[in-house]
Amino acid sequence: MKEYIIATDVASDLPKEVIDKYEIKMFQLVPFLDGKDVRGISNIDFYNKMRSGSTSSTSAGNIADITDFFEGIISDEGKDILYIGFSSGLSSQSQTAAFVAEEINEKYGRQVVTVIDSLCACAGQGYLVHTALSNRENGMSLSENAEYIEKVKLNMCHWFTVGSLTYLKRGGRVSSFAALAGTILNIKPILKVDDNGKIIGHSKAKGRMGSLKELCQKVKENIDYSYGKTVYIGHGDCIDDANAVADMIRQETDVDNVVIYEIGPVIGAHAGPDTIAIFFYGANR
């Protein structure tokens, strides 16, 4: 079996120790605060600046940068690439990567780069990358692995709640009236990522603890244990709440492995501080 590299982008929120351990190649999307490129900023500093009123945004990769990324891997490693990209429902990243891959494959006269639009984000995307890594370790070829990830990506459930509706309002996810009403009434939205890789509203909970309990309930109702007993939790600088949800899940389900990751600036720029998100394999989304 020909060896191959697994690559992704920073929207996957994989921690450095995982990236280093598995030698994952990571494309750098760009977070901005008040219009300034803040790549390299710590998560804590990023969220504190958001809490202090800084405006946040992000930028996907352009054709030149993605070409350099793929060609650099091919030149340095001499291996083919399986790239699992940020949802096309939230970013142009995967679409641009697919265009670049087509150009590279034509240049080399064969399939050198395979791009998967994960239709996922945050640790859901990261969980898919972990699945691909496990498949590779178990002997799957690149094409077999890509086929499997395409098959299961819509089984990756994304559920989340936010600390404030302000950031979703800025991104057009909720109306100004809904954001104001939610703040006054202490209503917390429960949102999900749908089959098109887009964020949609699902339900509402009363208060922060109510929303955290509702996330646990989503695991109880939707997890498919045939894929294993693992749940990933992402948090926007609110580790205590992440641990609280992890404890609920351990106590109320048969899950035996809860993995907690920090939500980085690229996802955090749109979800905001105090976001809690859960990711797991279910029968469907």
Side-chain angles (χ1 to χ4, degrees), residues 13 34 39 70-71 73 76 83 105 116 129 181 210 222 234 264 270:
D13 284 333
D34 300 321
R39 277 176 289 188
F70 287 150
E71 289 282 16
I73 295 172
D76 294 344
Y83 177 80
N105 293 338
I116 293 177
V129 173
N222 296 288
H270 303 287

Side-chain angles (χ1 to χ4, degrees), residues 21 52 158 166 193 223:
K21 178 179 178 180
S52 298
H158 300 55
T166 299
V193 173
I223 193 169

Side-chain angles (χ1 to χ4, degrees), residues 3-281:
E3 293 186 11
Y4 58 96
I5 294 292
I6 292 177
T8 188
D9 52 65
V10 295
S12 61
D13 284 333
L14 290 168
K16 185 178 185 302
E17 58 267 24
V18 172
I19 295 168
D20 292 344
K21 178 179 178 180
Y22 294 102
E23 299 181 337
I24 302 166
K25 301 302 180 182
M26 190 70 61
F27 186 83
Q28 299 297 316
L29 307 177
V30 183
F32 296 92
L33 284 174
D34 300 321
K36 181 181 178 181
D37 181 338
V38 291
R39 277 176 289 188
I41 191 173
S42 72
N43 291 340
I44 291 176
D45 286 346
F46 185 83
Y47 286 118
N48 282 339
K49 288 182 180 297
M50 289 186 74
R51 290 183 176 111
S52 298
S54 289
T55 57
S56 55
S57 61
T58 58
S59 175
N62 58 43
I63 290 174
D65 288 342
I66 296 174
T67 300
D68 288 346
F69 175 71
F70 287 150
E71 289 282 16
I73 295 172
I74 295 166
S75 174
D76 294 344
E77 303 288 341
K79 299 176 182 178
D80 293 347
I81 303 166
L82 174 59
Y83 177 80
I84 301 173
F86 187 20
S87 172
S88 61
L90 299 170
S91 167
S92 63
Q93 179 65 24
S94 285
Q95 294 164 315
T96 306
F99 173 82
V100 170
E102 185 177 347
E103 295 291 308
I104 290 175
N105 293 338
E106 184 175 339
K107 170 185 172 182
Y108 287 93
R110 65 181 186 86
Q111 188 84 9
V112 180
V113 183
T114 299
V115 172
I116 293 177
D117 173 4
S118 71
L119 298 175
C120 294
C122 194
Q125 181 181 341
Y127 198 166
L128 276 188
V129 173
H130 271 282
T131 300
L133 290 165
S134 178
N135 289 343
R136 186 180 64 179
E137 289 180 356
N138 290 330
M140 275 194 187
S141 67
L142 190 157
S143 60
E144 291 170 335
N145 206 346
E147 182 179 358
Y148 182 84
I149 297 301
E150 287 284 4
K151 178 181 176 181
V152 304
K153 68 185 184 183
L154 292 183
N155 296 97
M156 182 59 64
C157 299
H158 300 55
W159 294 91
F160 67 102
T161 190
V162 295
S164 170
L165 289 164
T166 299
Y167 307 102
L168 292 174
K169 177 180 72 68
R170 287 178 183 170
R173 301 301 180 187
V174 298
S175 68
S176 296
F177 175 79
L180 178 61
T183 300
I184 294 173
L185 299 175
N186 195 24
I187 298 298
K188 300 297 181 182
I190 306 298
L191 305 107
K192 64 183 288 188
V193 173
D194 68 9
D195 285 354
N196 296 312
K198 296 182 178 181
I199 295 172
I200 60 171
H202 181 269
S203 57
K204 299 174 183 176
K206 182 68 173 178
R208 179 67 165 180
M209 185 51 65
S211 68
L212 302 185
K213 290 179 179 179
E214 184 65 16
L215 293 181
C216 178
Q217 185 64 28
K218 295 307 178 188
V219 177
K220 295 168 67 174
E221 293 172 351
N222 296 288
I223 193 169
D224 185 340
Y225 290 114
S226 68
Y227 291 99
K229 298 182 177 181
T230 295
V231 171
Y232 281 53
I233 299 175
H235 73 93
D237 193 30
C238 52
I239 185 61
D240 290 343
D241 285 346
N243 284 328
V245 174
D247 289 342
M248 290 181 207
I249 291 171
R250 293 187 188 101
Q251 293 166 9
E252 299 181 29
T253 74
D254 292 329
V255 169
D256 58 17
N257 184 34
V258 180
V259 181
I260 297 176
Y261 281 172
E262 294 181 355
I263 298 174
V266 168
I267 301 298
H270 303 287
D274 304 313
T275 295
I276 290 286
I278 57 171
F279 311 90
F280 55 91
Y281 280 109

